[in-house]
Amino acid sequence: MNYPNGKKAVLHQEAKGQGKQNYSNRGMTLEEDINHTNAYYLTSDKAIIHKKPTPVQIVNVHYPKRSAAVITEGYFKQASTTDYNGIYRNRYIDFEAKETRNKTLFPLSNIHEHQIEHMESIVNHGGICFLIVRFTAFNETYYIKAETLLSYWKDKLNGGRKSIPYSAIKQEGYQIPFQYQARVDYLKVIDKLYF
Amino acid sequence: MNYPNGKKAVLHQEAKGQGKQNYSNRGMTLEEDINHTNAYYLTSDKAIIHKKPTPVQIVNVHYPKRSAAVITEGYFKQASTTDYNGIYRNRYIDFEAKETRNKTLFPLSNIHEHQIEHMESIVNHGGICFLIVRFTAFNETYYIKAETLLSYWKDKLNGGRKSIPYSAIKQEGYQIPFQYQARVDYLKVIDKLYF
């Protein structure tokens, strides 16, 4: 109240962030951080990478006079591809992002079979494809090459474990640095791996 | 009736196609033809190109017990990028598709400024970017390089014409062959132009 410019609310939010380890601890989800990162990449003309819209099965639309069409019945559809794609340094980029609260492993059930098939095709066609996993308990975010994910998926199909251990991700993945402007600066990892 | 395998309906549909110039005259929209083409490219492992989902602003979702979440209020958002992207022969592919009933020109008002900016960025980052235009009156479909579209757009901004003449598209564009399996076989044009 009495803060017409909304300053109080902002200050309060800032205060909540104090005393925590870093900015990404302010309750931003991985998706928000990646969207923020992609917006930064876009405005700085580093890369053009977008999140695909959520697939919706539209069943009913109402067209009121003199105003916008309203979807009055729709359902969420399962994505058949990954969430993000675009272009960086002439290369096709394609990835999926997942958070887990698990402290010891990343459950492969977080990824659908269609997405795995898609990722395998992208790799075969020469794209740069990967998974970003955040362990929220440690606030650590990792880049996992699609090739690594695919090999764990094949193990699972052959009766192996249904997850990737946290220890394996620490070894076989690449921790993504947190930065103020590029909160999940995954292009840094791509630079190291491919250029 | 009495045709449990649905043959009658199919025969009836086939019959409607008779006497017309070619299969694409069966009332398929350009979008349907491109989706069909992309599905063929995907199953034959030629390219991985998908249409992005329609962007929807979801306002209200109802979660009934024991059944799927229902979107009860949503609105269509304007797309900020193009409709299709993916990968072909290691290259990033990005395009928009439009039909027009106009017989003499393609109105540039069919494309939004955001989309133009997006296409320009894609070209600058090394992607293969283009527009597919179908003149429904002639049932002719053309591939127009983003570079060509961008130069007409700049003319328009400088007070020039607000459209691309059909005659210019015939000269500066590339007619896309119609084929049974790849109804809008745009990769043929890409092969010629880039490989």
Side-chain angles (χ1 to χ4, degrees):
Chain A
M1 313 239 197
N2 290 327
Y3 290 85
N5 60 358
K7 255 193 180 158
K8 189 183 181 184
V10 172
L11 287 171
H12 180 63
Q13 263 201 324
E14 297 269 321
K16 281 208 301 184
Q18 298 298 327
K20 300 217 175 165
Q21 282 173 324
N22 65 33
Y23 291 96
S24 68
N25 252 335
R26 281 186 191 170
M28 282 285 183
T29 63
L30 177 58
E31 182 181 323
E32 286 166 331
D33 279 346
I34 292 174
N35 290 345
H36 192 278
T37 302
N38 288 342
Y40 169 71
Y41 289 159
L42 196 65
T43 53
S44 59
D45 203 29
K46 277 198 79 161
I48 308 156
I49 293 158
H50 289 277
K51 186 177 188 298
K52 290 175 207 161
T54 306
V56 168
Q57 172 87 43
I58 296 161
V59 176
N60 259 312
V61 182
H62 176 57
Y63 299 92
K65 278 180 195 166
R66 275 178 267 264
S67 56
V70 190
I71 297 160
T72 54
E73 187 184 353
Y75 299 91
F76 295 99
K77 286 197 290 184
Q78 206 183 72
S80 60
T81 65
T82 47
D83 270 356
Y84 303 86
N85 75 355
I87 187 168
Y88 176 56
R89 295 175 77 169
N90 293 8
R91 296 289 299 272
Y92 176 82
I93 304 294
D94 194 301
F95 66 97
E96 183 64 27
K98 294 289 176 196
E99 288 184 315
T100 181
R101 290 198 214 170
N102 200 303
K103 292 177 184 179
T104 55
L105 52 84
F106 173 73
L108 289 171
S109 56
N110 277 316
I111 313 281
H112 303 298
E113 199 178 342
H114 273 121
Q115 296 181 308
I116 290 286
E117 284 164 12
H118 173 76
M119 293 173 101
E120 189 163 23
S121 294
I122 294 300
V123 169
N124 291 339
H125 283 257
I128 295 176
C129 189
F130 54 97
L131 170 69
I132 293 180
V133 170
R134 175 174 289 173
F135 287 92
T136 53
F138 313 128
N139 193 32
E140 289 173 0
T141 308
Y142 291 90
Y143 178 113
I144 299 164
K145 290 178 80 167
E147 292 85 338
T148 306
L149 172 64
L150 291 166
S151 99
Y152 277 94
W153 189 271
K154 269 162 205 164
D155 285 354
K156 183 191 113 174
L157 293 183
N158 292 326
R161 53 182 306 146
K162 292 174 176 132
S163 61
I164 313 180
Y166 170 68
S167 58
I169 289 175
K170 268 186 103 71
Q171 282 210 326
E172 298 172 56
Y174 304 86
Q175 193 165 355
I176 301 175
F178 175 85
Q179 289 179 14
Y180 181 71
Q181 284 186 303
R183 291 163 190 234
V184 184
D185 198 0
Y186 59 87
L187 293 184
K188 277 263 170 64
V189 178
I190 292 180
D191 282 339
K192 232 186 291 176
L193 291 176
Y194 294 94
F195 296 102
Chain B
M1 316 241 196
N2 290 328
Y3 291 84
N5 59 359
K7 255 191 181 160
K8 190 182 181 183
V10 172
L11 286 169
H12 180 63
Q13 264 202 324
E14 299 267 322
K16 283 207 301 185
Q18 297 299 324
K20 302 219 172 163
Q21 283 172 323
N22 65 33
Y23 291 97
S24 68
N25 253 335
R26 280 184 191 171
M28 281 284 184
T29 64
L30 177 59
E31 182 181 323
E32 286 167 331
D33 279 346
I34 291 174
N35 290 344
H36 192 278
T37 302
N38 287 343
Y40 169 71
Y41 289 159
L42 196 66
T43 54
S44 60
D45 203 29
K46 275 199 79 160
I48 307 158
I49 294 158
H50 289 277
K51 184 176 190 297
K52 290 173 208 162
T54 306
V56 168
Q57 174 86 43
I58 296 162
V59 175
N60 259 312
V61 182
H62 176 57
Y63 298 92
K65 278 180 196 165
R66 275 176 267 263
S67 56
V70 191
I71 296 159
T72 55
E73 187 184 353
Y75 298 90
F76 295 99
K77 286 196 291 183
Q78 207 183 72
S80 59
T81 66
T82 47
D83 270 357
Y84 303 86
N85 73 357
I87 187 169
Y88 176 56
R89 294 176 76 170
N90 291 9
R91 294 290 298 272
Y92 176 81
I93 304 294
D94 194 302
F95 66 98
E96 183 63 28
K98 294 287 178 199
E99 289 184 314
T100 181
R101 291 195 215 172
N102 201 301
K103 291 178 185 180
T104 56
L105 53 83
F106 173 74
L108 289 171
S109 56
N110 278 316
I111 313 280
H112 304 296
E113 198 179 341
H114 273 120
Q115 295 181 309
I116 291 286
E117 285 164 12
H118 173 76
M119 293 173 101
E120 189 163 23
S121 294
I122 294 298
V123 169
N124 291 340
H125 283 259
I128 295 176
C129 189
F130 55 97
L131 170 70
I132 294 179
V133 169
R134 175 173 289 173
F135 287 91
T136 53
F138 312 129
N139 195 32
E140 289 173 0
T141 308
Y142 291 91
Y143 178 114
I144 299 163
K145 288 177 83 166
E147 291 86 338
T148 306
L149 172 64
L150 291 167
S151 100
Y152 277 94
W153 190 270
K154 269 163 206 163
D155 285 355
K156 184 192 111 175
L157 292 184
N158 293 326
R161 54 181 306 145
K162 292 175 177 132
S163 60
I164 313 179
Y166 170 68
S167 59
I169 289 175
K170 268 186 104 70
Q171 282 209 326
E172 298 171 55
Y174 304 85
Q175 194 166 354
I176 300 175
F178 176 85
Q179 287 180 14
Y180 181 72
Q181 284 186 302
R183 292 162 189 232
V184 184
D185 198 1
Y186 59 87
L187 292 184
K188 278 265 169 63
V189 179
I190 292 180
D191 283 338
K192 232 187 290 176
L193 292 176
Y194 295 93
F195 294 102

